[in-house]
Amino acid sequence: PSLSKLLIVFTVSGGGLVAYSEAEKSYDNSNAGELVEANKRKKKVVVLGTGWAGTSFLKNLKDPSYDVQVISPRNYFAFTPLLPSVTCGTVESRSVVEPIRNIIRKKHVDAYYWEAECIKIDPENKKVYCRSNLSINGNGKEEFAVDYDYLVIATGARVNTFNIPGVEENTFFLKEVEDAQKIRRTVIDCFEKASLPTLSDEERKRLLHFVIVGGGPTGVEFAAQLHDFVNEDIVRLYPKVKDSVKITLLEATDHILNMFDKRITAFAEEKFHRDGIDVKTGSMVVKVGEKEISTKDVKRGEITSMPYGMAVWSTGIGTRPVIMEFMKHIGQGNRRVLATDEWLRVEGQDNIYALGDCATINQRKVMEDIAAIFHKADKDNSGTLTVKEFQEVLNDICERYPQVELYLKNKKMSNLVDLLKESKGDGVKESVEVDIEEFKSALSQVDTDMKNLPATAQVASQQGVYLAKCFNRMEECEKNPEGPLRFRGEGRHRFHPFRYRHLGQFAPLGGEQTAAQLPGDWVSIGHSSQWLWYSVYASKQVSWRTRALVVSDWVRRFIFGRDSSQI
Ligand code: FAD
């Protein structure tokens, strides 16, 4: 007989032993005792979250000397860039998700998944407290605690409503697969309701007024998808109501797609104008009622209201409550997101790592690092560098912090001397020496985007890969501390700091046209970029299964159009 299931005992937050979970791997009875012993010796890695960061960490973790426990309320990975396509049925929801157990099953590392959310992190006792989503025997939701040696926090972010009244109750978010499914059902609902014979014209127009709040990539892509859906499918299916459809995109700043090159912004605004999508920039939502949405004109301060049938909220992200609690506990309560060092370790917590949307690399560290590079180049300790020396320093900074380079490119500046000139007027000439304090104040004045990495899947997944590589080499490095060490500033560290490599970004604009901003300031807009988008997104799928499903959905849509049934 074999010991087919290994019982793992958890202590529970209320004390005593309550929750038992069964690991799913089979072991031979003859060496079961040894295995249990070996497992006890294994370092316990607890991963919170099955999103981009958590999954990419898990996929790349290869060292079998860890005992990995993945905790997330979602038992699948979701390919978020395709969520806007799910809202209108261009792609089916099941095609963009991969069960986390499929990923775990293929690993040669002991890895287990628990469907639960972390409700508290206790760094002193190295424990996380969790609550299962599931109620067993109707006794309420199970709670349990899990010990860790290393904790990887990858819980992502939540939608930010900025506490604007009515947003939570009356708008739809586009963050999770369930959100996209809900939006899809509600869009169809609006068309079915609007087709009822008893409706007044006014009510029909209200129902078919779709408002999207937020002109970032997600809001813009949803608006484009909805417009395509209306033009390609709805016109055939609901011919009587098609003329009552209106799409409005509200953006508080002066332009949509602010983080993109200006050429892309201009093209998108012009295309939406041609398509009849009403882009209202400088328009800030102040209240969302059941049937009316109120906006404030940012420049004039006027408040106006418009009737709407469905509103989608896509304005930004905020910190999850469990992370906020943890931040308060470790003295980061005054911060917006969890601060880590460049090795993704939570500041002051040696065994806790944070990556993805829930964390950011601490700016103070970045500034200190930049100052250290500066002082190293300042051989005569004068506190100033010549422009030539300064250029060398810049190369080093841009190599270490690609976001600095990216920022300069976006601002159409060739280097930081331009930046100094911008912040100091004509005071800085290329021939004069550059002062460190001047330089630091110029850096601190610029937009925080320059220093903070964007909250994107690209960053999250690169961080996951990076951290997994560190974990794969951790034991070897501990055994051979004299190995290839990297010297940095006053200290030394076993691993390279995390470096983000920006691979470009897309903004699908509908009508089989996409804007692409690729490294090297290369901008391409149109149908060819759409094909590039198809190939990149097909290749980035997490498994061959989802790749096949997504590609077949695209083909199905080309041949048969989108499905408008309400299931
Ligand atoms: P997520 O991917 O959000 O994962 C968080 C995980 O943590 C989830 O599994 C969640 O269930 C789990 N979790 C939550 N709370 C807890 C808890 N208390 N305990 C345990 N687990 C918890 N980025 C791009 O680069 N390109 C794009 O085209 C793009 N398009 C996007 C489109 C949409 C509609 C959206 C919403 C986002 C898009 N993004 C895109 C951004 C990208 O999805 C995020 O930056 C990325 O998901 C962040 O990864 P993450 O792992 O930090 O968080």
Side-chain angles (χ1 to χ4, degrees):
S2 66
L3 178 66
S4 61
K5 288 182 177 170
L6 179 69
L7 290 179
I8 293 183
V9 182
F10 289 138
T11 56
V12 126
S13 48
L17 299 175
V18 178
Y20 296 83
S21 292
E22 294 175 315
E24 293 151 351
K25 302 200 171 174
S26 309
Y27 296 103
D28 192 312
N29 199 16
S30 55
N31 58 2
E34 279 171 37
L35 271 167
V36 171
E37 266 312 300
N39 267 358
K40 272 190 201 154
R41 283 196 305 271
K42 283 186 169 187
K43 290 252 161 110
K44 288 188 210 120
V45 180
V46 170
V47 182
L48 302 180
T50 49
W52 278 94
T55 305
S56 98
F57 172 77
L58 204 59
K59 280 193 86 177
N60 288 280
L61 188 69
K62 299 208 166 70
D63 186 344
S65 68
Y66 295 112
D67 173 36
V68 184
Q69 302 187 32
V70 184
I71 296 164
S72 172
R74 209 170 76 182
N75 80 346
Y76 55 84
F77 162 81
F79 193 89
T80 47
L82 286 180
L83 286 185
S85 303
V86 173
T87 57
C88 296
T90 311
V91 168
E92 291 300 325
S93 50
R94 290 211 168 261
S95 308
V96 302
V97 301
E98 180 69 13
I100 204 69
R101 288 179 187 275
N102 272 359
I103 294 169
I104 285 177
R105 182 172 59 89
K106 293 176 193 149
K107 297 221 62 75
H108 300 293
V109 174
D110 284 338
Y112 309 103
Y113 166 74
W114 320 119
E115 187 173 307
E117 68 172 321
C118 167
I119 47 174
K120 189 181 164 202
I121 299 169
D122 176 359
E124 285 78 27
N125 299 306
K126 292 194 178 169
K127 268 184 203 306
V128 286
Y129 293 90
C130 307
R131 185 185 299 135
S132 163
N133 272 350
L134 313 162
S135 162
I136 304 167
N137 305 328
N139 293 338
K141 295 186 172 180
E142 301 289 309
E143 291 193 3
F144 53 88
V146 182
D147 297 321
Y148 64 81
D149 293 307
Y150 299 110
L151 177 64
V152 177
I153 306 178
T155 49
R158 62 173 177 83
V159 172
N160 200 345
T161 62
F162 303 98
N163 292 328
I164 295 171
V167 173
E168 193 89 47
E169 300 86 346
N170 300 315
T171 66
F172 290 81
F173 299 146
L174 181 45
K175 183 87 181 64
E176 305 287 342
V177 178
E178 291 91 329
D179 298 334
Q181 287 171 321
K182 251 193 246 166
I183 292 176
R184 183 176 175 182
R185 275 196 301 271
T186 311
V187 169
I188 305 291
D189 253 4
C190 287
F191 280 98
E192 291 299 350
K193 277 187 204 159
S195 304
L196 290 174
T198 49
L199 238 63
S200 67
D201 263 4
E202 196 188 345
E203 186 62 359
R204 182 168 297 117
K205 280 194 174 142
R206 181 191 69 78
L207 273 172
L208 295 181
H209 184 198
F210 299 95
V211 177
I212 297 131
V213 188
T218 303
V220 165
E221 190 179 346
F222 172 63
Q225 279 284 340
L226 192 59
H227 175 263
D228 281 1
F229 184 37
V230 170
N231 275 287
E232 293 165 14
D233 303 277
I234 293 293
V235 282
R236 286 185 290 110
L237 302 169
Y238 303 86
K240 291 209 174 106
V241 300
K242 69 176 183 354
D243 295 330
S244 308
V245 180
K246 185 174 178 202
I247 302 173
T248 302
L249 179 61
L250 301 175
E251 164 60 44
T253 65
D254 287 347
H255 292 284
I256 57 170
L257 294 179
N258 277 313
M259 63 298 295
F260 281 80
D261 189 283
K262 290 193 173 62
R263 284 166 285 178
I264 293 181
T265 301
F267 181 89
E269 286 175 353
E270 210 182 290
K271 180 174 186 303
F272 277 11
H273 181 68
R274 264 185 281 126
D275 288 346
I277 298 174
D278 189 7
V279 178
K280 287 192 194 303
T281 52
S283 221
M284 194 193 281
V285 172
V286 286
K287 187 177 163 207
V288 186
E290 244 177 76
K291 295 182 177 176
E292 269 196 349
I293 191 160
S294 307
T295 58
K296 182 177 170 186
D297 186 301
V298 174
K299 285 189 186 126
R300 279 173 287 159
E302 264 171 29
I303 294 189
T304 46
S305 295
M306 58 179 122
Y308 76 95
M310 179 188 178
V312 172
W313 189 262
S314 170
T315 55
I317 51 174
T319 313
R320 291 195 189 277
V322 61
I323 301 300
M324 260 155 43
E325 274 302 307
F326 174 57
M327 284 164 66
K328 274 189 212 147
H329 185 78
I330 59 170
Q332 289 194 15
N334 56 346
R335 296 190 62 96
R336 208 173 42 84
V337 239
L338 204 47
T340 70
D341 63 15
E342 291 166 84
W343 294 271
L344 310 184
R345 284 176 309 194
V346 172
E347 288 223 310
Q349 307 289 319
D350 261 1
N351 295 328
I352 306 183
Y353 297 79
L355 47 162
D357 284 2
C358 68
T360 186
I361 294 168
N362 191 351
Q363 292 326 307
R364 189 169 40 77
K365 281 260 154 52
V366 175
M367 283 301 191
E368 278 169 15
D369 204 28
I370 287 176
I373 297 172
F374 190 100
H375 286 305
K376 206 169 149 203
D378 178 21
K379 294 194 182 69
D380 59 1
N381 265 336
S382 62
T384 58
L385 298 180
T386 63
V387 169
K388 189 166 172 291
E389 284 168 332
F390 184 58
Q391 288 296 352
E392 282 162 21
V393 165
L394 291 186
N395 291 342
D396 203 352
I397 291 173
C398 289
E399 195 197 320
R400 189 162 298 176
Y401 297 106
Q403 63 269 38
V404 174
E405 193 172 17
L406 195 71
Y407 176 85
L408 293 173
K409 276 191 182 145
N410 282 344
K411 292 210 89 187
K412 297 269 162 291
M413 289 174 173
S414 57
N415 60 40
L416 286 171
V417 175
D418 294 339
L419 183 68
L420 280 171
K421 278 185 192 163
E422 195 190 53
S423 65
K424 290 261 152 191
D426 281 336
V428 180
K429 302 261 170 3
E430 298 225 3
S431 54
V432 302
E433 296 181 328
V434 180
D435 187 289
I436 174 72
E437 289 312 321
E438 223 169 59
F439 174 49
K440 274 168 68 181
S441 81
L443 274 186
S444 60
Q445 280 167 29
V446 297
D447 189 8
T448 49
D449 283 359
M450 186 201 78
K451 293 164 268 156
N452 287 336
L453 286 172
T456 62
Q458 235 185 102
V459 172
S461 90
Q462 286 183 29
Q463 290 184 329
V465 174
Y466 164 82
L467 194 64
K469 281 186 181 159
C470 293
F471 270 69
N472 291 339
R473 289 186 47 231
M474 191 103 78
E475 201 178 352
E476 182 198 327
C477 288
E478 266 162 22
K479 278 190 203 139
N480 307 300
E482 297 310 316
L485 294 178
R486 183 176 170 84
F487 291 83
R488 295 195 65 259
E490 72 286 359
R492 38 161 73 189
H493 195 277
R494 296 171 281 183
F495 306 115
H496 278 281
F498 169 72
R499 282 185 195 166
Y500 170 59
R501 242 183 92 221
H502 187 65
L503 302 173
Q505 50 190 352
F506 288 107
L509 301 172
E512 294 300 309
Q513 295 197 57
T514 284
Q517 187 172 341
L518 301 173
D521 223 5
W522 191 70
V523 167
S524 159
I525 307 171
H527 298 287
S528 53
S529 309
Q530 179 72 35
W531 286 101
L532 184 64
W533 183 89
Y534 281 129
S535 7
V536 169
Y537 280 21
S539 73
K540 292 279 173 203
Q541 290 302 314
V542 75
S543 72
W544 280 101
R545 190 189 69 86
T546 53
R547 192 167 295 127
L549 289 174
V550 164
V551 172
S552 69
D553 283 351
W554 286 333
V555 174
R556 172 189 49 76
R557 202 273 294 170
F558 269 118
I559 301 173
F560 302 110
R562 298 169 183 84
D563 181 349
S564 70
S565 36
Q566 270 171 325
I567 45 165

